Amino acid sequence: WYQRRVREAVVSTQSTGCAALQMGATVSMTVVKSGEKKTTHLVTSRSDTGKVHQALKMGIRIVTEQWLWRCFENWEHVDTADFEWQGLTGGKRSKSKSPER
């Protein structure tokens, strides 16, 4: 189930990457625009990285690590709406309010 929803995730920490792998996701260190290894989600704890800027240009969903941990805790795909980074297109960057894991 999880692998169908999140085929290729780019993660920011080793423990986050391990959790993604356990759920069947493929983890990559680079953001890929198209093809079989296309990045579907960027999971990050920071909004000021080159990968974030790449993902923005490519229209890739950018979510906080809390989203991945919530999916891991529930062992199901959780809606990303409460875990997406907000305000990344310009001005001050701020993270969306998300429930604690």
Side-chain angles (χ1 to χ4, degrees):
W1 63 266
Y2 189 81
Q3 194 169 18
R4 288 189 305 263
R5 299 295 296 268
V6 182
R7 293 189 317 256
E8 183 75 16
V10 176
V11 297
S12 59
T13 66
Q14 188 173 6
S15 62
T16 304
C18 288
L21 287 170
Q22 288 179 356
M23 290 184 286
T26 302
V27 176
S28 175
M29 297 307 292
T30 59
V31 180
V32 179
K33 185 174 183 174
S34 62
E36 191 174 313
K37 298 285 186 179
K38 177 184 176 190
T39 302
T40 58
H41 293 71
L42 173 63
V43 181
T44 184
S45 60
R46 297 178 47 204
S47 64
D48 59 346
T49 68
K51 289 179 189 175
V52 167
H53 295 291
Q54 279 182 292
L56 279 171
K57 289 178 185 175
M58 296 178 191
I60 294 169
R61 188 162 299 185
I62 304 169
V63 294
T64 65
E65 290 180 330
Q66 287 83 10
W67 170 75
L68 188 76
W69 290 113
R70 182 62 54 85
C71 292
F72 188 77
E73 290 169 355
N74 295 340
W75 206 253
E76 66 181 5
H77 187 273
V78 174
D79 186 13
T80 59
D82 290 334
F83 301 95
E84 291 181 356
W85 281 87
Q86 303 297 316
L88 289 176
T89 56
K92 183 179 177 183
R93 294 185 174 115
S94 61
K95 189 166 42 172
S96 65
K97 265 189 146 175
S98 60
E100 294 296 317
R101 67 172 189 111

